DNA sequence: TTGTATGCGTTATCAC
DNA sequence: GTGATAACGCATACAA
């Protein structure tokens, strides 16, 4: 690989001048500029980003932390962040944290050694105190982590209210909820939204709620428990789509017809919900937009175009598919 | 961040000595070693990887190129490569190429400026001539790219034969194929495996084959065409699971019962096939193992533990689920 | 408008 | 055993 010295030699100028034309800084005579440009193309010269990083202390790299890219919610988020990174000339690093705080801290450590410029993080486990002391920009995505951080989320509580109300309007009389993990902010908000709507109903009891931990299998079992102990359930709000598919499977295994006997609505709007039979009604997030916006905020923060904390909340929208149907009166 | 100089000063030695204890190179007195170690912990010193990279010309980073992480085949591959990277102390960069040769070339360019150490690539579009001239190690995964490259794949042709034979053994008399794109090596191999089994059958005609381009929607349409023009089809081999789900949907929309009237078997073994109704029978690849092995070979090549080209082929295995059933005689 | 010199934080070479 | 010091490739402060 040619270096800036080779270019300087060929163009018969100093390296400083080459650097100037490279970065468009300072004055440089039109004629020499052209000589340098010619030398650059002749040698097919590309600046060494590592040397640049060393000098600048910045690397033009950002990372996305997700619990596990194999969870079908995250690929679209990853794609969005990567697209924005590329658009802004950043390299995209992906880290799977398994919701393990030790791994998260370890990643931060290693990436800082590489002068990583910033992190978009989806996490509920990392200590807020740790993350606020990380001295590079961090943007929380999908879940709130710490009040000092910028974040991009959706209106989970309101969305959950709408989902539950939708089931009511369909004519469901007994609406249960398969909840996400109780230490995750968005799961709590979805639970609260559900409670907002049903808590005052005379039939309501807490036994209409079961934990599904955002996992397919757990949700399937949770749904089986719900439908067994409360056969009167005719509507189910599930905290995310992955669990929603688990719920679908549970109903099937118990011989309960969806949507004829039971309407199911979930949350997220991932593609998975379009491939099941019946397809899954859901409160769809603008997943791609949220991911892209998080990356954009991060980059603005890195480049100090906008240094202050930003909190953005997108709106979810119902997507009616086959797993819900109006009940006959 | 503390630097090696700070450590040297605190331990009252030279930076050279600190470097020695850091890397375990050269002789250093036990006592000084301890002093240095103490200074390191006291300052919470971490070496600057950028400076190291600049000196060494290597970055301890590897990349994975995939067409699109949103395609459900790739997240497991990405996870595998990332896990192996982490295990060997490499940082993991993810690139979505959209099967666009220009983007691929551009990524290579930019990553080389960052001294990226190597690439695991899933691609059918990049020019083999270009990639063989990339002067860092490259390992092809899932698809063959160029004869000079190391690669990790599966026995596509044999797997396709087994899938087709399996349908025959089930009693299917007219077996059609929804094929992948015709410029992709593994898709061609799967098509050939199908042909190996059915080409000599007297009923066989090329109209039993339709292109699905490895896309859900295309496969759905292709299947509708197949089942419309050949209502006698009772067995379908689909070139991958994503398309298999599309085929399932097509059959449903035509009112054809799977597996009662039509048995469907696909290829890959991704999780998606477990969530459909009926679940999808498939020739399952050891996706995670293949990804991990590709990364391992890459790293061996980078670290010159094993410099020569490696070609590994894993074996696929049938996973019988609900989309196939023995036909009554 | 351009060149010289210095530093970014490491590692390796060569003395001592 | 240990310490100066050059070098990795670039960008900037300062001179000219």
């Amino acid at each position: 690989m040619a270096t800036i010295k080779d270019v300087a030699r060929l163009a018969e100028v100093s390296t400083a001048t080459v650097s100037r034309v490279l970065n468009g800084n300072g004055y440089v005579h039109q004629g020499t500029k052209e000589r340098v440009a010619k030398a650059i193309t002749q040698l097919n010269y590309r600046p060494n980003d590592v040397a640049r990083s060393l000098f600048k202390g910045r690397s033009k790299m950002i990372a996305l932390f997700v619990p596990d890219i194999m969870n079908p919610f995250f690929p679209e988020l990853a794609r969005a962040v990567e697209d924005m990174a590329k658009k802004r000339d950043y390299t995209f690093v992906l880290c799977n944290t398994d919701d393990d705080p030790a791994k998260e801290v370890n990643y931060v450590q290693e990436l800082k050694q590489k002068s990583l410029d910033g992190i978009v993080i989806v996490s509920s486990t990392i200590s807020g105190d740790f993350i606020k002391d990380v001295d590079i920009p961090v943007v929380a995505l999908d879940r709130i982590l710490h009040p000092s951080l910028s974040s991009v989320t959706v209106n989970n509580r309101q969305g959950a209210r709408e989902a539950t109300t939708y089931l009511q309007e369909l004519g469901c009389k007994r609406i249960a909820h398969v909840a996400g993990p109780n230490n995750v902010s968005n799961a709590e908000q979805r639970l609260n939204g559900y409670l907002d709507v049903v808590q005052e109903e005379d039939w309501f009891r807490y036994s209409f709620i079961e934990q599904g931990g955002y996992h397919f299998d757990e949700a399937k079992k949770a749904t089986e428990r719900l439908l067994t102990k409360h056969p009167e359930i005719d509507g189910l709000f599930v905290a995310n789509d992955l669990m929603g598919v688990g719920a679908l499977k549970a109903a099937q295994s118990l011989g309960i017809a969806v949507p004829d006997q039971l309407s199911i609505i979930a949350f997220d709007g991932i593609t998975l919900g379009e491939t099941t039979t019946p397809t899954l009604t859901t409160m769809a997030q603008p997943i791609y937009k949220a991911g892209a916006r998080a990356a954009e905020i991060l980059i603005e923060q890195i480049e100090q175009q906008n240094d202050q904390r930003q909190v953005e909340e997108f709106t979810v929208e119902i997507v009616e598919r086959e797993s819900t149907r109006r009940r006959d009166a």
Side-chain angles (χ1 to χ4, degrees), chain A:
Chain A
M1 296 254 265
T3 77
I4 199 172
K5 276 187 190 165
D6 302 322
V7 176
R9 192 159 19 215
L10 184 59
E12 296 178 303
V13 294
S14 75
T15 61
T17 301
V18 178
S19 177
R20 284 190 195 99
V21 319
L22 237 42
N23 302 293
N25 291 338
Y27 300 91
V28 47
H29 187 77
Q30 184 59 28
T32 55
K33 191 181 288 186
E34 281 159 13
R35 280 214 320 284
V36 170
K38 201 174 126 196
I40 286 176
T41 36
Q42 228 174 87
L43 293 171
N44 190 28
Y45 165 75
R46 305 279 167 225
N48 180 325
D49 279 336
V50 178
R52 277 189 168 166
S53 293
L54 180 58
F55 182 85
K56 299 221 175 199
R58 311 222 262 104
S59 63
K60 283 256 169 188
M61 299 196 297
I62 63 173
L64 171 67
F65 284 23
V66 292
D68 183 0
I69 192 66
M70 287 171 66
N71 178 319
F73 178 71
F74 297 119
E76 186 169 353
L77 229 43
R79 176 72 210 227
V81 174
E82 205 266 316
D83 282 352
M84 182 58 69
K86 175 140 199 66
K87 185 175 166 195
R88 303 286 294 258
D89 276 317
Y90 283 74
T91 293
F92 174 76
V93 172
L94 180 68
C95 303
N96 295 102
T97 63
D98 291 321
D99 274 325
D100 176 349
K103 276 186 104 171
E104 295 178 310
V105 169
N106 179 258
Y107 271 120
V108 170
Q109 185 63 262
E110 291 181 358
L111 293 172
K112 281 179 61 177
Q113 290 183 234
K114 290 193 148 67
S115 294
L116 187 98
D117 294 339
I119 304 173
V120 174
I121 183 167
V122 181
S123 168
S124 22
T125 47
I126 198 167
S127 137
D129 286 339
F130 171 77
I131 209 70
K132 84 172 198 311
D133 288 336
V134 173
D135 52 4
I136 56 174
V138 175
V139 174
L141 177 55
D142 184 53
R143 309 168 189 188
I144 302 282
L145 252 189
H146 190 273
S148 70
L149 251 43
S150 289
S151 62
V152 177
T153 52
V154 297
N155 59 342
N156 291 290
R157 189 161 183 161
Q158 177 57 22
R161 280 193 212 110
E162 289 173 20
T164 313
T165 304
Y166 171 75
L167 290 176
Q168 285 185 330
E169 288 168 358
L170 248 33
C172 297
K173 300 298 181 201
R174 297 291 182 274
I175 300 172
H177 179 51
V178 180
N182 49 26
N183 56 336
V184 176
S185 66
N186 57 17
E188 285 171 356
Q189 291 161 0
R190 293 172 199 179
L191 169 60
N192 284 330
Y194 161 77
L195 286 173
D196 290 344
V197 177
V198 301
Q199 202 158 26
E200 301 298 314
E201 301 280 334
D202 53 2
W203 57 262
F204 177 74
R205 277 171 290 160
Y206 278 92
S207 57
F208 279 90
I209 300 170
E210 285 274 352
Q211 298 285 336
Y214 276 167
H215 297 297
F216 178 88
D217 286 324
E218 260 181 82
K220 183 160 178 253
K221 284 177 196 146
T223 305
E224 283 165 358
R225 285 197 302 275
L226 276 173
L227 295 176
T228 304
K229 69 180 166 188
H230 288 302
E232 71 274 23
I233 291 172
D234 54 3
L236 190 58
F237 168 49
V238 187
N240 75 11
D241 285 349
L242 184 59
M243 295 202 299
V245 178
L248 231 38
K249 288 285 173 189
Q252 258 166 40
S253 78
L254 294 174
I256 296 174
V258 177
D260 290 339
Q261 298 170 264
L262 172 70
S263 278
I264 298 182
I265 184 171
F267 206 106
D268 278 354
I270 62 179
T271 323
L272 183 66
E274 300 171 33
T275 59
T276 53
T277 307
T279 54
L280 190 62
T281 295
T282 193
M283 300 303 300
Q285 306 190 33
I287 301 179
Y288 188 93
K289 277 169 72 178
R293 184 62 187 131
E296 194 172 29
I297 290 175
L298 181 71
I299 292 171
E300 283 171 4
Q301 230 136 300
I302 290 168
E303 301 180 348
Q304 319 225 312
Q305 293 163 359
N306 192 338
D307 217 359
Q308 41 198 318
R309 173 163 174 268
Q310 310 237 17
V311 173
E312 298 202 7
E313 194 176 82
F314 284 92
T315 303
V316 298
E317 234 168 65
I318 191 165
V319 176
E320 297 189 55
R321 293 199 282 242
E322 301 163 356
S323 66
T324 48
R325 175 179 303 169
R326 183 165 302 284
R327 310 222 75 67
D328 302 327

